[in-house]
Amino acid sequence: MKKQMISLLLVLAMAAMPLFSGALAEEGTLDPFEEITAEFAAAVKVEPYKVAVQPTRVSGWTALRWAPSKNAPIMATYSAKQELMVLKETDNWLLVANEKTGDIGYINKAYVTTDLPKDSPAREMNLTGENGKLSLGVVDINGAFSLESGLPAGYNSQLVRSSSDQLVALLTSEDPQKPSMVLSVAYDPAYASVDRLNDLDDEALAELEKTFTEVDPTVEITYGDTGLGTRLMVARQNDKGFDYLDFVTIYKGYFVEFVMAAPQTAEEKTLTEEQMLLCVDFLTDLDFVPVEAAAADTSLLADGKYITNFTAYDSDANTLQMEVRHSVTLDPAVAEALQVGDTLTVGSYSEKIEKLEKNEDGDILINDSLILQNFGGEEHLYIDFEEYDEVYMELTLQVPEDLKFYDYTDPETGEATDELVEHTAEEMISMLLEDPLSFASGNVWSCFDINGQLIAVERYGAF
């Protein structure tokens, strides 16, 4: 994947050429012509289906090639979660089509998944400078952060890619002899609980190093620190005469990658110690600044019913703060292919599979505490018999006077019952103020009309 990153740098530096990465990718061991011929012959038509790109790391890219071979030229590159349509298969490759661009080519099976991402619109990029620093853009998952930093003298910043959970910015100099740099920041569920690279133990660091060394065993890995004491992993390669450095660190689950490469037009292809310090200074100056949450788009909730936790009530404004949650599901084909040793990933939850079996009902039991059950063509994850869900949206809404509150709760035991008691909005608020926890335990459902307005609340048990 590192070779894909550096190829992106080199090509971006040569603005006249199309954007691609991986031109210096893995070298095959077979004669290229024989390998391509064998793969072409093995290609079988399939009923078209979609896959999502899944590079080795969330901040990486995967190459689309004109032929099923790692030696074939690159046509385009795709970042994590981009969707492609599969037309043919071989043992190792997929013939895919990009329905948006019309590109058709081959992609390695190892870098795609049938577990398609949920739609998640990107925030607008704020490129205005604040506090003497340039805002490079916004990443937004599990909390939004604006990336702000001072730029090296003579450098400009260009936003290359942006989504709700990934940002790629290119730093270039007007001087063609100076190196180009790429900043990539992407949320990685594997590091969801990691605040900094400093927190990783030797075993976790060794696993991270493998993502470099398994692609190129000649890569040199060392460690350093920013001026603020944040640990950096530094991977250095000199591929076909082009020297480049890759700095990696982690911030609150975000995988931060900063690559510097000597431009193709430079007379000196070897990076200097001074240039290396330029990267360290940039990362030292890079700030993750929390962004005030944008107003939630309630139209996304139109005509829907969602699990909701009420987190606060403002009596002066008569508003409810609520946490809207939704089930995160897994594609049945992905669930069926799971094996011991794999990592089960559902949304931001992940767990290594050490035990797996199926019961007579077709449920998939994992590690004694996890169950995958099929409902409506999707696999729902249950942890200790409780269905797993994630926060979809956080809202502050006015409580309408005509709100209906349908309570399926035994007033003596607090347990859920089949008997319905209908209450007014005022009565619901009174119960909420008396016992807030009884409305914040995954037992409340909120119903929205076709305009995304709150119209009814249902509660199933108070505990």
Side-chain angles (χ1 to χ4, degrees):
M1 197 60 64
K2 293 300 90 198
K3 295 187 177 182
Q4 292 174 341
M5 173 66 86
I6 187 57
S7 297
L8 175 65
L9 271 168
L10 296 177
V11 175
L12 286 172
M14 300 184 297
M17 296 182 64
L19 178 69
F20 70 91
S21 66
L24 306 178
E26 315 91 336
E27 296 182 0
T29 56
L30 299 177
D31 176 87
F33 181 77
E34 291 182 3
E35 179 189 17
I36 293 173
T37 301
E39 289 286 348
F40 270 133
V44 176
K45 275 189 176 182
V46 297
E47 187 70 26
Y49 64 93
K50 284 189 175 182
V51 293
V53 174
Q54 184 174 268
T56 305
R57 290 191 304 280
V58 293
S59 57
W61 287 269
T62 296
L64 180 74
R65 301 175 183 273
W66 77 267
S69 169
K70 293 178 180 179
N71 295 292
I74 306 292
M75 297 174 59
T77 58
Y78 298 106
S79 56
K81 300 183 182 181
Q82 290 185 268
E83 295 183 23
L84 301 167
M85 184 68 72
V86 177
L87 307 176
K88 288 185 178 182
E89 291 187 15
T90 76
D91 288 342
N92 304 304
W93 296 84
L94 299 175
L95 178 64
V96 296
N98 183 331
E99 297 176 293
K100 294 181 179 179
T101 65
D103 288 340
I104 297 178
Y106 284 85
I107 196 166
N108 195 297
K109 282 184 176 180
Y111 304 119
V112 299
T113 176
T114 55
D115 188 12
L116 300 180
K118 303 294 183 184
D119 291 338
S120 181
R123 287 179 181 268
E124 292 184 7
M125 296 296 108
N126 176 15
L127 300 178
T128 59
E130 295 182 5
N131 302 322
K133 294 186 178 182
L134 179 70
S135 179
L136 302 171
V138 175
V139 285
D140 177 17
I141 186 169
N142 293 348
F145 293 91
S146 169
L147 271 67
E148 298 179 359
S149 184
L151 295 180
Y155 276 82
N156 297 308
S157 171
Q158 175 189 350
L159 194 63
V160 177
R161 289 186 178 126
S162 65
S163 68
S164 60
D165 57 358
Q166 184 178 25
L167 178 144
V168 180
L170 172 66
L171 277 62
T172 56
S173 171
E174 297 178 359
D175 184 348
Q177 299 300 311
K178 288 189 175 181
S180 298
M181 295 175 280
V182 168
L183 171 69
S184 175
V185 180
Y187 184 79
D188 191 336
Y191 300 106
S193 61
V194 179
D195 281 340
R196 298 196 302 165
L197 188 71
N198 308 50
D199 300 330
L200 295 187
D201 59 22
D202 291 343
E203 183 179 355
L205 287 173
E207 287 299 315
L208 180 55
E209 289 178 12
K210 281 183 181 179
T211 63
F212 294 85
T213 57
E214 286 183 348
V215 173
D216 184 352
T218 66
V219 66
E220 298 177 8
I221 293 180
T222 56
Y223 289 89
D225 296 280
T226 69
L228 299 178
T230 299
R231 196 174 194 187
L232 299 173
M233 176 185 289
V234 185
R236 185 164 195 163
Q237 291 178 312
N238 189 298
D239 197 348
K240 301 187 187 304
F242 291 97
D243 192 21
Y244 67 96
L245 296 164
D246 193 337
F247 296 80
V248 172
T249 193
I250 294 170
Y251 176 78
K252 294 187 181 300
Y254 286 92
F255 194 92
V256 181
E257 200 164 7
F258 194 69
V259 182
M260 170 182 278
Q264 193 175 33
T265 55
E267 296 176 1
E268 179 56 56
K269 302 297 192 296
T270 301
L271 296 170
T272 66
E273 189 73 20
E274 182 182 2
Q275 290 167 337
M276 183 174 178
L277 289 175
L278 194 67
C279 293
V280 175
D281 289 343
F282 176 83
L283 291 172
T284 299
D285 202 34
L286 181 65
D287 292 335
F288 280 71
V289 181
V291 174
E292 184 177 347
D297 184 0
T298 56
S299 66
L300 298 174
L301 305 174
D303 203 23
K305 179 178 175 181
Y306 295 86
I307 299 172
T308 313
N309 289 335
F310 293 166
T311 55
Y313 173 70
D314 185 335
S315 57
D316 293 332
N318 190 33
T319 56
L320 273 173
Q321 289 182 24
M322 58 180 64
E323 182 184 78
V324 179
R325 307 182 69 89
H326 67 151
S327 299
V328 184
T329 59
L330 195 64
D331 183 273
V334 176
E336 186 66 28
L338 290 173
Q339 299 179 11
V340 173
D342 292 345
T343 298
L344 170 69
T345 301
V346 181
S348 62
Y349 178 85
S350 64
E351 181 165 334
K352 187 172 182 178
I353 300 176
E354 298 177 352
K355 181 180 179 182
L356 184 149
E357 60 184 60
K358 296 180 180 179
N359 64 19
E360 60 275 12
D361 298 323
D363 300 333
I364 302 176
L365 311 180
I366 298 172
N367 297 349
D368 295 327
S369 60
L370 309 178
I371 301 175
L372 288 170
Q373 289 186 333
N374 190 291
F375 295 103
E378 294 180 316
E379 295 286 345
H380 293 245
L381 174 65
Y382 288 80
I383 304 175
D384 292 328
F385 303 104
E386 294 290 333
E387 184 171 8
Y388 177 70
D389 57 40
E390 293 185 349
V391 175
Y392 175 50
M393 191 179 293
E394 293 183 342
L395 303 171
T396 299
L397 295 180
Q398 197 80 25
V399 180
E401 291 183 4
D402 58 351
L403 178 76
K404 302 296 183 183
F405 175 46
Y406 302 107
D407 199 11
Y408 296 85
T409 304
D410 186 314
E412 294 185 3
T413 67
E415 296 180 353
T417 69
D418 294 329
E419 185 176 348
L420 165 65
V421 179
E422 183 176 332
H423 296 280
T424 64
E426 186 177 354
E427 290 171 331
M428 183 192 77
I429 294 301
S430 178
M431 295 180 194
L432 173 63
L433 293 174
E434 182 179 345
D435 187 7
L437 289 179
S438 67
F439 288 83
S441 303
N443 59 324
V444 172
W445 292 75
S446 293
C447 306
F448 298 84
D449 64 15
I450 58 174
N451 297 312
Q453 300 302 308
L454 181 65
I455 56 173
V457 173
E458 300 174 6
R459 183 175 68 166
Y460 297 85
F463 308 106

